[in-house]
Amino acid sequence: NNPPWPAFRGYHEYSFAHATMSARLPTILGKAIDDTTRTLNEQSDEERVLDLVRCIERMEELMSDLGSNRKLRPIVDDGEADVALWNKEIAKYFQGESTSHIITGKDFMNAPWLFAEAYKYRRLRESFAVSKFWNDYDVFYRQKCDTFSRSAEAVFELSMRFAEPFTLAENLSDEEKLEAERLMFLELTQVCLWGNSTDLSLLINMTEDQIKALQSTGGDHLAATEKNILGNHLPKLWETVKELRGKTGGRIDFVLDNAGFELYCDCVYADFLIQSGLAKTVHFHGKRYPWFVSDVTRKDWNWLLNTMVYGQLFPKASDQEMESLRRLGLRWKQYEKEGKWIYEQHPFWCTGYTFWDLLSEAPDLFLHLSRSDLVIFKGDLNHRKLTYDCHAPASTTFEHAIGPMASSAGAPKVASLRTVKSDVVVGLGDEGDELAEKLDKEEPGWKISGKYAVVLLSEGRPG
Ligand code: F6P
Ligand code: MG
């Protein structure tokens, strides 16, 4: 069940794996400790203080394990639903059970990058999950909320346009209506795609201007950015989605990535899919606990909807702008009440497995997804997981790269909307290897800048 290419690992100095494992993760962890210390300094109750001090000690222990490149020890039984899945995979490293080139290595640097990086977030979770009072503490929460509050310009640009329900002029022919919908679909797919460039794990300490530059959503801007979609199945995606209307299920799933602005863009897109009748229901899949800094948890989901309706996040906004945000938020909450939008959080999403193992390790989730008409995976990490995060050539077809998620009986249609922020790049077409080589020479940082993207679709396989 493995692809023919080796996975990236922390000791691969030529890859982003190395910079991440040796420099970025300790920085992120250091900031998490700072955040918790800030919370500690605000406490008065001795029992709670002591309990939080222990959480900090556990994070410091993790920092030391990471810094000394220790072996990945099993996860303590902290009550999370994924402990057994984690420890089963960790045990494999020690039993030498697999001789494959994929499963070797035991420490942070020689285990597969994806697994070792996910493991760090799992240990961070453990640091709080075993505590008495701080089980729900999210070390990234302040950052996530703060970045959304600094995204005012793009937030209001979208809310002022989309608060008013989506309608098509009466005098249009059926053909013209479909064309208007197609254009709207293409635009909003891009809004949803580029929403992924605001990722806190890469852009720690962005200025407001930097955020603005990343989030400009105007029409001209979108036409220009389509050139940066190196593997572009947008037309094919529209052909797929337009067939969903009137279908019995009409269900689209989003496997979410980041909270705040990206989630807001996902919701604007999902709102259009519901209003246009292209989808009857949308399922959103989030994480059960803080993950890769900015990923969506249920708390982030609730926070976004409630802050839109009741919040005072944007002191400089006009009454009209605030009203547009409130209306959008109210509509979205109503979708949730009516069961048109469903938020879910399966334990599998917070494991170190790639999606090549989704069917074997989480068959219930695979079955659930196989009932969807289209599953949209957002972002870089989900893309790494779909493609096994390995050295596949850029000309590899998306279907080939995602293995069982395309070829298993019952595999749903799968789309990946991802801005390129790490090494694995596939689906660039027959000339893809040449293009990748050219970019390697001309723009050495092209795989981590978030300037480029892919929109890739796999047609799935009926069960
Ligand atoms: O730490 C590296 C990484 O996993 C990259 O995949 C990416 O840079 C980032 O973290 C997560 O990005 P995203 O939020 O788009 O999944
Ligand atoms: Mg993320």
Side-chain angles (χ1 to χ4, degrees):
N1 212 22
N2 298 331
W5 308 284
F8 291 103
R9 289 167 198 269
Y11 67 81
H12 293 151
E13 288 186 14
Y14 53 86
S15 88
F16 193 45
H18 187 70
T20 298
M21 293 309 297
S22 54
R24 286 181 53 239
L25 291 196
T27 306
I28 289 170
L29 190 54
K31 282 187 165 273
I33 294 174
D34 291 348
D35 172 273
T36 315
T37 308
R38 184 172 154 193
T39 301
L40 178 75
N41 294 342
E42 292 159 1
Q43 302 310 306
S44 54
D45 179 73
E46 187 175 6
E47 242 196 302
R48 291 175 64 88
V49 167
L50 283 174
D51 200 33
L52 195 54
V53 167
R54 302 236 162 76
C55 296
I56 296 176
E57 283 166 5
R58 285 187 284 269
M59 285 195 279
E60 278 162 352
E61 200 181 299
L62 171 58
M63 182 74 107
S64 146
D65 287 355
L66 191 58
S68 326
N69 189 27
R70 296 225 170 80
K71 289 179 181 163
L72 308 182
R73 67 144 168 86
I75 297 297
V76 169
D77 187 356
D78 57 7
E80 275 299 344
D82 55 27
V83 177
L85 274 177
W86 271 102
N87 287 342
K88 186 168 106 178
E89 198 58 21
I90 291 169
K92 277 193 198 167
Y93 294 129
F94 290 95
Q95 285 158 5
E97 184 181 289
S98 170
T99 48
S100 106
H101 60 282
I102 302 292
I103 302 173
T104 56
K106 305 177 166 79
D107 57 44
F108 280 93
M109 293 311 258
N110 68 12
W113 171 28
L114 181 58
F115 190 82
E117 189 176 11
Y119 175 86
K120 185 212 91 171
Y121 290 95
R122 183 61 184 86
R123 283 279 302 274
L124 190 55
R125 170 66 193 137
E126 186 197 280
S127 305
F128 291 89
V130 297
S131 74
K132 184 168 172 200
F133 299 101
W134 300 95
N135 187 21
D136 294 328
Y137 190 72
D138 180 350
V139 291
F140 306 122
Y141 190 62
R142 282 193 181 100
Q143 275 185 73
K144 289 187 268 193
C145 299
D146 184 53
T147 313
F148 187 70
S149 74
R150 294 191 291 137
S151 307
E153 191 157 323
V155 166
F156 291 120
E157 191 178 327
L158 289 170
S159 68
M160 292 293 279
R161 252 185 88 191
F162 295 108
E164 194 63 39
F166 173 73
T167 47
L168 292 163
E170 285 297 320
N171 55 354
L172 296 181
S173 68
D174 285 352
E175 227 169 79
E176 286 167 330
K177 280 187 184 154
L178 194 62
E179 179 58 9
E181 259 175 6
R182 187 183 71 90
L183 293 173
M184 186 67 104
F185 175 83
L186 294 179
E187 177 177 354
L188 287 178
T189 308
Q190 273 214 65
V191 166
C192 181
L193 165 69
W194 295 108
N196 179 245
S197 27
T198 323
D199 154 36
L200 297 175
S201 76
L202 278 184
L203 297 157
I204 303 168
N205 295 333
M206 270 187 298
T207 66
E208 216 147 308
D209 283 341
Q210 283 169 313
I211 297 177
K212 221 185 275 175
L214 280 171
Q215 294 176 340
S216 41
T217 55
D220 292 350
H221 180 71
L222 286 176
T225 51
E226 191 169 352
K227 291 204 287 291
N228 292 344
I229 305 179
L230 301 177
N232 185 351
H233 292 171
L234 271 173
K236 210 162 87 174
L237 189 61
W238 166 244
E239 292 305 316
T240 297
V241 171
K242 83 172 191 213
E243 295 305 323
L244 298 186
R245 195 188 340 248
K247 261 206 161 181
T248 40
R251 166 180 153 192
I252 295 184
D253 285 53
F254 281 79
V255 181
L256 296 171
D257 186 3
N258 301 317
F261 185 70
E262 178 170 354
L263 177 61
Y264 176 75
C265 293
D266 297 339
C267 288
V268 168
Y269 188 40
D271 188 359
F272 164 73
L273 294 171
I274 293 282
Q275 288 192 53
S276 59
L278 291 165
K280 284 202 186 72
T281 53
V282 177
H283 292 240
F284 297 90
H285 301 265
K287 308 295 192 296
R288 297 171 79 87
Y289 46 80
W291 192 246
F292 283 69
V293 185
S294 34
D295 284 19
V296 180
T297 63
R298 188 183 283 281
K299 185 170 160 188
D300 300 322
W301 168 270
N302 290 337
W303 178 83
L304 178 69
L305 267 55
N306 286 323
T307 205
M308 287 171 70
V309 176
Y310 310 109
Q312 303 289 340
L313 263 193
F314 303 102
K316 288 192 208 138
S318 68
D319 289 351
Q320 217 190 349
E321 285 173 330
M322 287 307 282
E323 181 56 19
S324 67
L325 198 59
R326 206 174 69 85
R327 282 183 64 195
L328 261 193
L330 281 172
R331 190 157 74 228
W332 296 354
K333 277 169 159 289
Q334 187 61 23
Y335 288 151
E336 228 191 335
K337 272 197 206 116
E338 292 168 356
K340 290 180 179 162
W341 280 12
I342 299 160
Y343 183 87
E344 303 176 12
Q345 39 179 13
H346 195 283
F348 182 77
W349 303 123
C350 288
T351 67
Y353 285 109
T354 78
F355 301 152
W356 278 61
D357 292 321
L358 202 153
L359 172 59
S360 57
E361 301 302 332
D364 59 320
L365 179 60
F366 185 87
L367 184 67
H368 181 49
L369 295 177
S370 75
R371 297 188 177 123
S372 176
D373 293 296
L374 173 68
V375 184
I376 299 175
F377 288 87
K378 289 293 317 284
D380 195 78
L381 176 62
N382 279 327
H383 190 86
R384 289 173 62 196
K385 289 193 159 194
L386 280 167
T387 58
Y388 212 98
D389 200 34
C390 63
H391 293 66
S395 59
T396 312
T397 63
F398 184 54
E399 255 99 2
H400 190 188
I402 69 175
M405 279 305 282
S407 61
S408 305
K413 291 182 195 299
V414 163
S416 175
L417 266 55
R418 172 238 192 171
T419 60
V420 181
K421 298 182 215 158
S422 63
D423 295 67
V424 60
V425 177
V426 299
L428 302 200
D430 293 343
E431 316 283 296
D433 298 341
E434 291 77 20
L435 175 59
E437 248 174 64
K438 184 170 156 265
L439 286 166
D440 279 340
K441 269 195 213 114
E442 290 171 6
E443 283 183 64
W446 71 280
K447 284 180 174 173
I448 52 169
S449 62
K451 171 179 167 191
Y452 293 101
V454 288
V455 175
L456 299 171
L457 177 70
S458 150
E459 299 288 353
R461 197 182 138 199

